[in-house]
Amino acid sequence: MNLFSNAKSLMNSALSYLPQPVQQAIPQKAEAFSFGDAVPVLDGHDLSNYMECWFNGRWYEPQVSLEGLSKSFKATPYLSSGIIFKRNFLANLFVPHPKMSRKAFEQIGLDFIWCGNTYVEDVQSRLRNTIEYKPALAKYTRAGDFSGQYFYLNNSHKGYEEYEFPQDRICHIRETDIDQEIYGTPEYISALQSAWLNESATLFRRKYYNNGSHAGFILYVNDPASDPNDITALRTALKESKGPGNFRNLFYYSPNGKKDGIQVIPTSEIAAKDDFTNIKSITRDDTLAALRIPPQLMGIVPSNAGGFGDIKSATEVFYHNEIIPLQSRLLQFNEWAGDEIIKFNKYELIQPK
């Protein structure tokens, strides 16, 4: 040890003998605070602020992110299943045409339902005769500045490419919108918050179970053990209760023990407080209400004793109030093509023999 270390040690020893100042206890005061002002619904930064289409110099950008809509489509089974159910209903009634296959119509109907836009390309020969009508994926198709001008944004193994369709070769069928006339908006926009909440609740519960703390507890022992080996034996018994043969009963004998000397404190009470079931059911109802699909057609098990009612009546009402209006919108393509390309059969329930 050098001289500097010796001097430092002697100085610290001398300072320890000095009188220490008396520290007065600071009185604790009650404190209150707020979490902020209420946020008005009509003045928030939400999807409604982006409902106008921005022109980037070549084409108009969609008012809603199509990438976000495609991800939301997979967020909850009620949204994706409801959209697929409508697509299947339309495709089942479609009558194939030599210039439009059933496969092409399935994509046309799906694009119109999930994003409110569908694009059909008129594929022509060199003699300008129509060979077929095939869909252009709505997620990557954009409307240009001029009428009849459309672009396709392709990001393939060759890199990013921008393809401009020949003039007046694309038929664009869009849902009506109150904010702009370039693109359509899907009818379930108002239910996206519920769909995201449904996904968040499912992911939270899944992470909670993967974490493993739902089966944990704290064993609190405050009785003085007569033999230290008793605590060691209890610890060993708890360790051996995991894995195969778990859920076994444990016995602990404590002579002269007090009441509440051994307590089991659960650490998984959040499972009873996050209201998972109600969140799932409420968000499901919101999503189905936006799609206007009766729950019995979605295979949902009723929670009440009376059920959802007659499924045949619900199917007929759904067909007349939802499917027929969808068909009438898609029939706009026939006016553009000048021929009856899209045609549907009349829906009839199977009658018992």
Side-chain angles (χ1 to χ4, degrees), residues 32-114:
F33 61 93
S34 61
F35 290 97
D37 299 331
V39 179
V41 175
L42 298 181
D43 193 26
H45 297 284
D46 53 13
L47 287 173
S48 62
N49 292 338
Y50 304 95
M51 287 301 180
E52 294 183 0
C53 299
W54 173 68
F55 183 68
N56 64 6
R58 299 192 66 190
W59 59 78
Y60 288 94
E61 297 290 347
Q63 74 283 16
V64 179
S65 171
L66 297 182
E67 182 70 24
L69 278 181
S70 65
K71 292 181 179 179
S72 300
F73 171 78
K74 308 176 185 70
T76 170
Y78 306 116
L79 182 59
S80 59
S81 180
I83 293 175
I84 294 299
F85 175 75
K86 282 189 173 183
R87 191 280 311 272
N88 292 343
F89 211 127
L90 285 172
N92 182 48
L93 300 177
F94 173 71
V95 178
H97 191 274
K99 295 181 180 180
M100 180 179 290
S101 63
R102 187 181 299 275
K103 181 180 180 180
F105 178 79
E106 287 181 358
Q107 185 66 52
I108 293 172
L110 179 63
D111 285 345
F112 185 77
I113 298 171
W114 83 265

Coordinates of all heavy atoms in Angstrom, one line a residue, residues 32-114:
A32 N -51.8 14.9 -5.8 CA -52.8 14.4 -6.8 C -52.4 14.9 -8.1 O -51.8 16.0 -8.3 CB -54.2 15.0 -6.4
F33 N -52.8 14.2 -9.1 CA -52.4 14.5 -10.5 C -53.5 14.0 -11.4 O -54.2 13.0 -11.1 CB -51.0 14.1 -10.9 CG -50.9 12.6 -10.9 CD1 -51.1 11.8 -12.0 CD2 -50.5 11.9 -9.7 CE1 -50.9 10.4 -12.0 CE2 -50.4 10.6 -9.7 CZ -50.6 9.8 -10.8
S34 N -53.5 14.5 -12.6 CA -54.5 14.0 -13.6 C -53.7 13.4 -14.8 O -52.6 13.7 -15.0 CB -55.4 15.2 -14.1 OG -54.7 16.2 -14.7
F35 N -54.4 12.7 -15.7 CA -53.9 12.1 -16.8 C -54.0 12.9 -18.1 O -53.8 12.4 -19.2 CB -54.5 10.7 -17.0 CG -54.1 9.7 -16.0 CD1 -54.9 9.5 -14.9 CD2 -52.9 9.0 -16.1 CE1 -54.5 8.6 -13.9 CE2 -52.5 8.1 -15.1 CZ -53.3 7.9 -14.0
G36 N -54.5 14.1 -18.0 CA -54.7 14.9 -19.2 C -56.2 15.2 -19.5 O -57.1 14.6 -18.9
D37 N -56.4 16.1 -20.4 CA -57.7 16.4 -20.8 C -58.4 15.3 -21.6 O -57.7 14.5 -22.3 CB -57.8 17.8 -21.5 CG -57.2 18.9 -20.6 OD1 -57.4 18.7 -19.4 OD2 -56.6 19.8 -21.2
A38 N -59.7 15.4 -21.7 CA -60.4 14.5 -22.6 C -60.1 14.8 -24.1 O -59.9 15.9 -24.4 CB -61.9 14.6 -22.3
V39 N -60.0 13.7 -24.9 CA -59.7 13.9 -26.3 C -61.0 13.8 -27.1 O -61.7 12.8 -27.0 CB -58.7 12.8 -26.8 CG1 -58.4 12.9 -28.3 CG2 -57.4 12.8 -26.0
P40 N -61.4 14.8 -27.8 CA -62.6 14.7 -28.6 C -62.5 13.8 -29.8 O -61.4 13.7 -30.3 CB -62.8 16.2 -29.0 CG -61.5 16.8 -29.0 CD -60.7 16.1 -27.9
V41 N -63.6 13.2 -30.1 CA -63.6 12.2 -31.2 C -63.3 12.9 -32.5 O -62.6 12.4 -33.4 CB -64.9 11.4 -31.2 CG1 -64.9 10.5 -32.4 CG2 -65.0 10.6 -29.9
L42 N -63.9 14.1 -32.7 CA -63.9 14.7 -34.0 C -62.6 15.5 -34.2 O -62.4 16.2 -35.2 CB -65.1 15.6 -34.2 CG -66.4 14.9 -34.2 CD1 -67.5 15.9 -34.3 CD2 -66.5 13.9 -35.2
D43 N -61.6 15.5 -33.3 CA -60.4 16.3 -33.4 C -59.2 15.4 -33.2 O -58.2 15.9 -32.7 CB -60.4 17.4 -32.4 CG -59.3 18.5 -32.7 OD1 -58.9 18.5 -33.9 OD2 -58.9 19.2 -31.8
G44 N -59.3 14.1 -33.5 CA -58.1 13.2 -33.2 C -57.4 12.9 -34.5 O -57.9 13.1 -35.6
H45 N -56.2 12.5 -34.4 CA -55.4 12.1 -35.6 C -55.7 10.6 -35.9 O -55.1 9.7 -35.3 CB -53.9 12.3 -35.3 CG -53.5 13.7 -35.0 ND1 -53.4 14.7 -36.0 CD2 -53.3 14.4 -33.9 CE1 -53.1 15.8 -35.5 NE2 -53.0 15.7 -34.2
D46 N -56.7 10.4 -36.7 CA -57.1 9.1 -37.0 C -57.1 8.9 -38.5 O -56.7 9.7 -39.3 CB -58.4 8.7 -36.4 CG -59.5 9.8 -36.7 OD1 -59.2 10.6 -37.6 OD2 -60.5 9.7 -36.0
L47 N -57.8 7.8 -39.0 CA -57.9 7.6 -40.4 C -58.6 8.6 -41.2 O -58.4 8.8 -42.4 CB -58.5 6.2 -40.6 CG -57.7 5.0 -40.3 CD1 -58.5 3.7 -40.4 CD2 -56.5 4.9 -41.2
S48 N -59.6 9.3 -40.5 CA -60.4 10.3 -41.2 C -59.6 11.5 -41.7 O -60.1 12.2 -42.5 CB -61.5 10.8 -40.3 OG -61.0 11.4 -39.2
N49 N -58.4 11.7 -41.2 CA -57.5 12.8 -41.6 C -56.8 12.5 -42.9 O -56.2 13.4 -43.5 CB -56.5 13.1 -40.6 CG -57.1 13.7 -39.3 OD1 -58.3 14.2 -39.4 ND2 -56.4 13.6 -38.2
Y50 N -56.9 11.3 -43.4 CA -56.2 10.9 -44.6 C -57.1 10.4 -45.7 O -56.7 9.5 -46.5 CB -55.2 9.8 -44.2 CG -54.2 10.2 -43.1 CD1 -54.5 9.8 -41.8 CD2 -53.1 10.9 -43.4 CE1 -53.7 10.2 -40.8 CE2 -52.2 11.3 -42.4 CZ -52.5 10.9 -41.1 OH -51.7 11.3 -40.0
M51 N -58.3 10.9 -45.8 CA -59.3 10.4 -46.7 C -59.2 11.1 -48.1 O -60.0 10.9 -48.9 CB -60.7 10.6 -46.1 CG -61.0 9.5 -45.1 SD -60.8 7.9 -45.6 CE -61.2 7.0 -44.1
E52 N -58.3 12.1 -48.3 CA -58.1 12.7 -49.6 C -56.9 12.1 -50.3 O -55.9 11.7 -49.7 CB -57.9 14.2 -49.4 CG -59.1 14.9 -48.8 CD -59.0 16.4 -48.7 OE1 -57.9 16.9 -49.1 OE2 -59.9 17.1 -48.3
C53 N -57.0 12.0 -51.6 CA -56.0 11.4 -52.4 C -54.9 12.4 -52.8 O -55.3 13.5 -53.3 CB -56.6 10.7 -53.6 SG -57.8 9.5 -53.3
W54 N -53.7 12.1 -52.6 CA -52.6 13.0 -52.9 C -52.0 12.6 -54.3 O -51.7 11.4 -54.5 CB -51.5 12.9 -51.8 CG -50.2 13.6 -52.2 CD1 -50.1 15.0 -52.3 CD2 -49.0 13.0 -52.5 NE1 -48.8 15.3 -52.6 CE2 -48.1 14.1 -52.7 CE3 -48.5 11.7 -52.5 CZ2 -46.7 13.9 -53.0 CZ3 -47.2 11.5 -52.8 CH2 -46.3 12.6 -53.1
F55 N -51.8 13.6 -55.2 CA -51.2 13.3 -56.5 C -49.7 13.5 -56.4 O -49.2 14.5 -56.1 CB -51.8 14.3 -57.5 CG -51.4 14.1 -58.9 CD1 -51.7 12.9 -59.6 CD2 -50.6 15.0 -59.5 CE1 -51.3 12.7 -60.9 CE2 -50.1 14.8 -60.8 CZ -50.5 13.7 -61.5
N56 N -49.0 12.4 -56.8 CA -47.5 12.4 -56.7 C -46.8 12.8 -57.9 O -45.6 12.8 -58.0 CB -47.0 11.1 -56.2 CG -47.3 10.0 -57.2 OD1 -47.8 10.2 -58.3 ND2 -47.0 8.7 -56.9
G57 N -47.6 13.3 -58.9 CA -47.0 13.7 -60.2 C -47.3 12.8 -61.4 O -47.3 13.2 -62.5
R58 N -47.6 11.5 -61.0 CA -48.0 10.5 -62.1 C -49.3 9.9 -61.8 O -50.1 9.7 -62.7 CB -46.9 9.4 -62.2 CG -45.5 10.0 -62.6 CD -44.6 8.8 -62.9 NE -45.0 8.1 -64.1 CZ -44.5 7.0 -64.6 NH1 -43.6 6.4 -63.9 NH2 -45.0 6.5 -65.7
W59 N -49.5 9.5 -60.5 CA -50.8 8.9 -60.2 C -51.3 9.4 -58.8 O -50.5 10.0 -58.1 CB -50.7 7.3 -60.2 CG -49.7 6.8 -59.2 CD1 -49.8 6.7 -57.9 CD2 -48.4 6.3 -59.5 NE1 -48.7 6.2 -57.3 CE2 -47.8 5.9 -58.3 CE3 -47.7 6.2 -60.7 CZ2 -46.5 5.4 -58.3 CZ3 -46.4 5.7 -60.7 CH2 -45.8 5.3 -59.5
Y60 N -52.5 9.0 -58.4 CA -53.0 9.4 -57.1 C -52.8 8.3 -56.1 O -53.0 7.1 -56.4 CB -54.6 9.7 -57.2 CG -54.9 10.9 -58.0 CD1 -55.2 10.9 -59.3 CD2 -55.0 12.1 -57.3 CE1 -55.6 12.0 -60.0 CE2 -55.3 13.3 -58.0 CZ -55.6 13.2 -59.4 OH -56.0 14.4 -60.0
E61 N -52.3 8.7 -55.0 CA -52.1 7.8 -53.9 C -53.4 7.5 -53.2 O -54.3 8.3 -53.1 CB -51.1 8.4 -52.9 CG -49.7 8.6 -53.4 CD -48.9 7.4 -53.7 OE1 -49.4 6.3 -53.2 OE2 -47.9 7.4 -54.4
P62 N -53.6 6.2 -52.8 CA -54.9 5.9 -52.1 C -55.0 6.6 -50.8 O -54.0 7.0 -50.2 CB -54.7 4.4 -51.9 CG -53.7 3.9 -52.9 CD -52.8 5.0 -53.1
Q63 N -56.2 6.9 -50.5 CA -56.5 7.7 -49.3 C -56.3 6.9 -48.0 O -56.0 7.4 -46.9 CB -58.0 8.3 -49.3 CG -59.0 7.2 -49.0 CD -59.3 6.3 -50.2 OE1 -58.5 6.3 -51.2 NE2 -60.4 5.6 -50.2
V64 N -56.3 5.6 -48.1 CA -56.0 4.7 -47.0 C -54.9 3.7 -47.4 O -54.9 3.3 -48.6 CB -57.3 3.9 -46.6 CG1 -57.0 2.9 -45.4 CG2 -58.4 4.8 -46.2
S65 N -54.0 3.4 -46.6 CA -52.9 2.6 -46.9 C -53.4 1.2 -47.2 O -54.0 0.5 -46.4 CB -51.9 2.5 -45.7 OG -50.9 1.5 -45.9
L66 N -53.2 0.8 -48.5 CA -53.6 -0.6 -48.9 C -52.7 -1.6 -48.2 O -53.2 -2.8 -48.0 CB -53.5 -0.7 -50.4 CG -54.5 0.2 -51.2 CD1 -54.3 0.0 -52.7 CD2 -55.9 0.1 -50.7
E67 N -51.5 -1.3 -47.9 CA -50.6 -2.3 -47.2 C -51.2 -2.5 -45.8 O -51.2 -3.6 -45.3 CB -49.2 -1.7 -47.1 CG -48.2 -2.6 -46.4 CD -47.9 -3.9 -47.2 OE1 -48.1 -3.9 -48.4 OE2 -47.5 -4.9 -46.6
G68 N -51.7 -1.4 -45.1 CA -52.3 -1.5 -43.8 C -53.6 -2.3 -43.8 O -53.9 -3.1 -42.9
L69 N -54.4 -2.1 -44.9 CA -55.6 -2.8 -45.0 C -55.4 -4.3 -45.2 O -56.1 -5.2 -44.7 CB -56.5 -2.3 -46.2 CG -57.3 -1.0 -45.9 CD1 -58.0 -0.6 -47.2 CD2 -58.3 -1.2 -44.8
S70 N -54.4 -4.7 -46.0 CA -54.1 -6.1 -46.3 C -53.6 -6.8 -45.0 O -53.9 -7.9 -44.8 CB -53.0 -6.2 -47.4 OG -51.8 -5.7 -47.0
K71 N -52.8 -6.0 -44.1 CA -52.4 -6.6 -42.9 C -53.6 -6.7 -41.9 O -53.7 -7.7 -41.2 CB -51.4 -5.7 -42.2 CG -50.0 -5.8 -43.0 CD -49.0 -4.9 -42.3 CE -47.7 -5.0 -43.0 NZ -46.6 -4.1 -42.4
S72 N -54.5 -5.7 -42.0 CA -55.7 -5.8 -41.1 C -56.6 -6.9 -41.5 O -57.4 -7.5 -40.7 CB -56.5 -4.5 -41.2 OG -55.7 -3.4 -40.7
F73 N -56.6 -7.3 -42.8 CA -57.4 -8.4 -43.3 C -57.1 -9.7 -42.5 O -57.9 -10.6 -42.3 CB -57.2 -8.6 -44.8 CG -57.8 -9.8 -45.4 CD1 -59.1 -9.9 -45.6 CD2 -57.0 -10.9 -45.7 CE1 -59.7 -11.1 -46.2 CE2 -57.5 -12.1 -46.2 CZ -58.9 -12.1 -46.5
K74 N -55.8 -9.8 -42.1 CA -55.3 -11.0 -41.5 C -55.3 -10.9 -39.9 O -54.8 -11.7 -39.2 CB -54.0 -11.4 -41.9 CG -53.8 -11.5 -43.5 CD -52.4 -11.8 -43.9 CE -52.2 -11.8 -45.4 NZ -52.4 -10.4 -46.0
A75 N -55.8 -9.7 -39.4 CA -55.7 -9.4 -38.0 C -56.6 -10.3 -37.2 O -56.2 -10.8 -36.1 CB -55.9 -8.0 -37.7
T76 N -57.8 -10.5 -37.6 CA -58.8 -11.2 -36.8 C -59.6 -12.2 -37.7 O -59.8 -11.9 -38.9 CB -59.8 -10.3 -36.1 OG1 -60.9 -11.0 -35.6 CG2 -60.3 -9.3 -37.1
P77 N -59.9 -13.4 -37.3 CA -60.6 -14.3 -38.1 C -62.0 -13.9 -38.5 O -62.5 -14.3 -39.6 CB -60.7 -15.6 -37.3 CG -60.5 -15.1 -35.8 CD -59.6 -14.0 -35.9
Y78 N -62.6 -13.0 -37.7 CA -64.0 -12.6 -38.1 C -64.0 -11.7 -39.3 O -64.9 -11.7 -40.1 CB -64.6 -11.8 -36.9 CG -64.6 -12.6 -35.6 CD1 -63.8 -12.2 -34.5 CD2 -65.3 -13.8 -35.5 CE1 -63.8 -12.9 -33.3 CE2 -65.2 -14.6 -34.3 CZ -64.5 -14.1 -33.2 OH -64.4 -14.9 -32.1
L79 N -62.9 -10.8 -39.4 CA -62.9 -9.9 -40.6 C -62.5 -10.7 -41.9 O -63.2 -10.6 -42.9 CB -61.8 -8.8 -40.3 CG -61.7 -7.8 -41.5 CD1 -63.0 -7.1 -41.7 CD2 -60.6 -6.8 -41.1
S80 N -61.5 -11.5 -41.8 CA -61.1 -12.3 -43.0 C -62.1 -13.3 -43.4 O -62.4 -13.5 -44.6 CB -59.7 -13.0 -42.7 OG -59.8 -13.9 -41.6
S81 N -62.7 -14.0 -42.4 CA -63.7 -15.0 -42.7 C -64.9 -14.4 -43.3 O -65.6 -14.9 -44.2 CB -64.1 -15.8 -41.4 OG -65.0 -16.8 -41.7
G82 N -65.3 -13.2 -42.8 CA -66.5 -12.5 -43.3 C -66.3 -12.1 -44.8 O -67.2 -12.2 -45.6
I83 N -65.1 -11.6 -45.1 CA -64.8 -11.2 -46.5 C -64.8 -12.4 -47.4 O -65.3 -12.3 -48.5 CB -63.5 -10.4 -46.5 CG1 -63.7 -9.0 -45.7 CG2 -63.1 -10.1 -47.9 CD1 -62.4 -8.3 -45.6
I84 N -64.1 -13.4 -46.9 CA -64.1 -14.7 -47.8 C -65.5 -15.2 -48.0 O -65.8 -15.8 -49.0 CB -63.1 -15.7 -47.1 CG1 -61.7 -15.2 -47.2 CG2 -63.2 -17.0 -47.9 CD1 -61.2 -14.9 -48.5
F85 N -66.3 -15.1 -46.9 CA -67.7 -15.7 -47.0 C -68.5 -14.9 -48.1 O -69.2 -15.5 -48.9 CB -68.4 -15.5 -45.7 CG -69.8 -15.9 -45.7 CD1 -70.2 -17.3 -45.8 CD2 -70.8 -15.0 -45.7 CE1 -71.6 -17.6 -45.8 CE2 -72.2 -15.3 -45.8 CZ -72.5 -16.7 -45.8
K86 N -68.3 -13.6 -48.2 CA -69.0 -12.8 -49.2 C -68.4 -13.2 -50.6 O -69.2 -13.3 -51.6 CB -68.8 -11.3 -49.0 CG -69.8 -10.8 -47.9 CD -69.7 -9.3 -47.8 CE -70.7 -8.7 -46.9 NZ -70.7 -7.2 -46.9
R87 N -67.1 -13.3 -50.7 CA -66.5 -13.7 -51.9 C -67.0 -15.1 -52.4 O -67.3 -15.2 -53.6 CB -65.0 -13.7 -51.8 CG -64.1 -13.8 -53.0 CD -64.0 -15.3 -53.6 NE -63.6 -16.2 -52.5 CZ -62.4 -16.5 -52.2 NH1 -61.3 -15.9 -52.8 NH2 -62.1 -17.5 -51.3
N88 N -67.1 -16.0 -51.5 CA -67.5 -17.4 -51.9 C -69.0 -17.3 -52.4 O -69.4 -18.1 -53.3 CB -67.4 -18.3 -50.7 CG -65.9 -18.6 -50.4 OD1 -65.0 -18.4 -51.2 ND2 -65.7 -19.1 -49.2
F89 N -69.8 -16.5 -51.7 CA -71.2 -16.4 -52.1 C -71.3 -15.9 -53.5 O -72.1 -16.4 -54.3 CB -71.9 -15.5 -51.1 CG -73.4 -15.8 -50.8 CD1 -73.9 -16.0 -49.6 CD2 -74.3 -16.0 -51.9 CE1 -75.2 -16.4 -49.3 CE2 -75.6 -16.3 -51.7 CZ -76.1 -16.5 -50.4
L90 N -70.6 -14.8 -53.8 CA -70.6 -14.3 -55.1 C -70.1 -15.2 -56.2 O -70.7 -15.4 -57.3 CB -69.8 -13.0 -55.2 CG -70.4 -11.7 -54.5 CD1 -69.4 -10.6 -54.5 CD2 -71.7 -11.3 -55.3
A91 N -68.9 -15.9 -55.9 CA -68.3 -16.8 -56.9 C -69.2 -18.0 -57.1 O -69.2 -18.5 -58.2 CB -67.0 -17.2 -56.4
N92 N -70.0 -18.4 -56.1 CA -70.8 -19.6 -56.3 C -72.0 -19.3 -57.3 O -72.4 -20.2 -58.0 CB -71.4 -20.0 -54.9 CG -72.2 -21.3 -55.0 OD1 -71.8 -22.3 -55.6 ND2 -73.4 -21.2 -54.4
L93 N -72.4 -18.1 -57.3 CA -73.5 -17.7 -58.2 C -73.0 -17.2 -59.6 O -73.9 -17.0 -60.5 CB -74.4 -16.6 -57.5 CG -75.0 -17.0 -56.2 CD1 -75.8 -15.8 -55.6 CD2 -75.9 -18.2 -56.4
F94 N -71.7 -17.0 -59.7 CA -71.2 -16.5 -61.0 C -71.3 -17.5 -62.1 O -71.0 -18.7 -61.9 CB -69.8 -16.0 -60.8 CG -69.1 -15.6 -62.1 CD1 -69.5 -14.4 -62.7 CD2 -68.1 -16.4 -62.7 CE1 -68.8 -14.1 -63.9 CE2 -67.5 -16.0 -63.8 CZ -67.8 -14.9 -64.4
V95 N -71.7 -17.1 -63.3 CA -71.8 -17.9 -64.5 C -70.5 -17.6 -65.3 O -70.4 -16.5 -65.8 CB -73.1 -17.6 -65.3 CG1 -73.1 -18.5 -66.6 CG2 -74.3 -17.8 -64.5
P96 N -69.6 -18.6 -65.5 CA -68.4 -18.4 -66.2 C -68.7 -18.0 -67.7 O -69.7 -18.4 -68.3 CB -67.7 -19.7 -66.1 CG -68.2 -20.4 -64.9 CD -69.7 -20.0 -64.9
H97 N -67.8 -17.1 -68.2 CA -67.9 -16.6 -69.6 C -66.6 -17.0 -70.3 O -65.6 -17.1 -69.7 CB -68.1 -15.1 -69.5 CG -68.5 -14.5 -70.9 ND1 -67.6 -14.2 -71.8 CD2 -69.7 -14.2 -71.4 CE1 -68.2 -13.7 -72.9 NE2 -69.5 -13.7 -72.7
P98 N -66.7 -17.2 -71.6 CA -65.5 -17.5 -72.4 C -64.4 -16.5 -72.2 O -63.2 -16.8 -72.4 CB -66.0 -17.6 -73.8 CG -67.4 -18.0 -73.7 CD -67.9 -17.3 -72.5
K99 N -64.7 -15.3 -71.9 CA -63.7 -14.2 -71.8 C -63.4 -13.9 -70.3 O -62.6 -13.0 -70.1 CB -64.2 -13.0 -72.5 CG -64.3 -13.1 -74.0 CD -64.7 -11.8 -74.7 CE -64.9 -12.1 -76.2 NZ -65.3 -10.8 -76.9
M100 N -64.1 -14.5 -69.4 CA -63.8 -14.3 -68.0 C -64.1 -15.6 -67.2 O -65.2 -16.1 -67.1 CB -64.7 -13.2 -67.4 CG -64.4 -13.0 -65.9 SD -65.5 -11.6 -65.2 CE -64.7 -10.2 -66.0
S101 N -63.0 -16.2 -66.6 CA -63.1 -17.4 -65.9 C -63.6 -17.2 -64.5 O -63.6 -16.1 -64.0 CB -61.7 -18.1 -65.9 OG -60.8 -17.3 -65.2
R102 N -64.0 -18.3 -63.9 CA -64.4 -18.2 -62.5 C -63.3 -17.8 -61.6 O -63.5 -17.0 -60.6 CB -65.0 -19.5 -62.0 CG -65.6 -19.5 -60.6 CD -66.1 -20.9 -60.2 NE -67.1 -21.4 -61.1 CZ -68.4 -21.1 -61.0 NH1 -68.8 -20.3 -60.1 NH2 -69.3 -21.6 -61.9
K103 N -62.1 -18.2 -61.9 CA -60.9 -17.8 -61.1 C -60.7 -16.3 -61.2 O -60.3 -15.7 -60.2 CB -59.7 -18.6 -61.6 CG -58.4 -18.3 -60.8 CD -57.2 -19.0 -61.3 CE -55.9 -18.7 -60.6 NZ -54.8 -19.5 -61.1
A104 N -60.8 -15.8 -62.4 CA -60.6 -14.3 -62.5 C -61.7 -13.5 -61.7 O -61.4 -12.5 -61.1 CB -60.7 -13.9 -64.0
F105 N -62.9 -14.1 -61.8 CA -64.0 -13.4 -61.1 C -63.8 -13.4 -59.5 O -64.2 -12.5 -58.8 CB -65.4 -13.9 -61.4 CG -66.5 -13.3 -60.7 CD1 -67.0 -12.1 -61.1 CD2 -67.1 -13.9 -59.6 CE1 -68.0 -11.5 -60.4 CE2 -68.1 -13.3 -58.9 CZ -68.6 -12.1 -59.3
E106 N -63.3 -14.5 -59.0 CA -63.0 -14.6 -57.6 C -62.1 -13.5 -57.1 O -62.3 -12.9 -56.1 CB -62.5 -16.0 -57.3 CG -63.5 -17.1 -57.3 CD -62.9 -18.5 -57.0 OE1 -61.6 -18.5 -56.7 OE2 -63.6 -19.5 -56.9
Q107 N -61.0 -13.2 -57.9 CA -60.1 -12.1 -57.6 C -60.8 -10.8 -57.7 O -60.6 -9.9 -56.9 CB -58.9 -12.2 -58.5 CG -57.8 -11.2 -58.1 CD -57.2 -11.5 -56.8 OE1 -56.8 -12.6 -56.5 NE2 -57.2 -10.5 -55.9
I108 N -61.7 -10.6 -58.7 CA -62.4 -9.4 -58.9 C -63.3 -9.1 -57.7 O -63.3 -8.0 -57.1 CB -63.2 -9.4 -60.2 CG1 -62.2 -9.4 -61.4 CG2 -64.1 -8.2 -60.3 CD1 -62.9 -9.7 -62.7
G109 N -64.1 -10.1 -57.3 CA -65.0 -10.0 -56.2 C -64.2 -9.7 -54.9 O -64.6 -8.9 -54.0
L110 N -63.1 -10.5 -54.6 CA -62.3 -10.3 -53.4 C -61.7 -8.9 -53.3 O -61.8 -8.3 -52.2 CB -61.2 -11.3 -53.4 CG -60.3 -11.3 -52.1 CD1 -61.1 -11.5 -50.9 CD2 -59.1 -12.3 -52.3
D111 N -61.2 -8.4 -54.4 CA -60.6 -7.0 -54.4 C -61.7 -6.0 -54.1 O -61.4 -5.0 -53.3 CB -59.9 -6.7 -55.7 CG -58.6 -7.4 -55.9 OD1 -58.1 -7.9 -54.8 OD2 -58.1 -7.5 -57.0
F112 N -62.8 -6.1 -54.6 CA -63.9 -5.1 -54.4 C -64.4 -5.1 -53.0 O -64.7 -4.1 -52.4 CB -65.1 -5.4 -55.3 CG -66.2 -4.4 -55.2 CD1 -66.0 -3.2 -55.9 CD2 -67.3 -4.6 -54.5 CE1 -67.0 -2.2 -55.8 CE2 -68.3 -3.7 -54.4 CZ -68.2 -2.5 -55.1
I113 N -64.4 -6.3 -52.3 CA -64.9 -6.4 -50.9 C -63.8 -5.9 -49.9 O -64.1 -5.2 -49.0 CB -65.3 -7.8 -50.6 CG1 -66.5 -8.2 -51.5 CG2 -65.8 -8.0 -49.2 CD1 -66.9 -9.7 -51.4
W114 N -62.5 -6.3 -50.1 CA -61.5 -6.0 -49.1 C -61.0 -4.6 -49.2 O -60.6 -4.1 -48.1 CB -60.4 -7.0 -49.2 CG -59.3 -6.7 -50.2 CD1 -59.2 -7.2 -51.4 CD2 -58.2 -5.9 -50.0 NE1 -58.1 -6.8 -52.0 CE2 -57.4 -5.9 -51.2 CE3 -57.7 -5.1 -48.9 CZ2 -56.2 -5.2 -51.4 CZ3 -56.5 -4.4 -49.1 CH2 -55.8 -4.5 -50.3

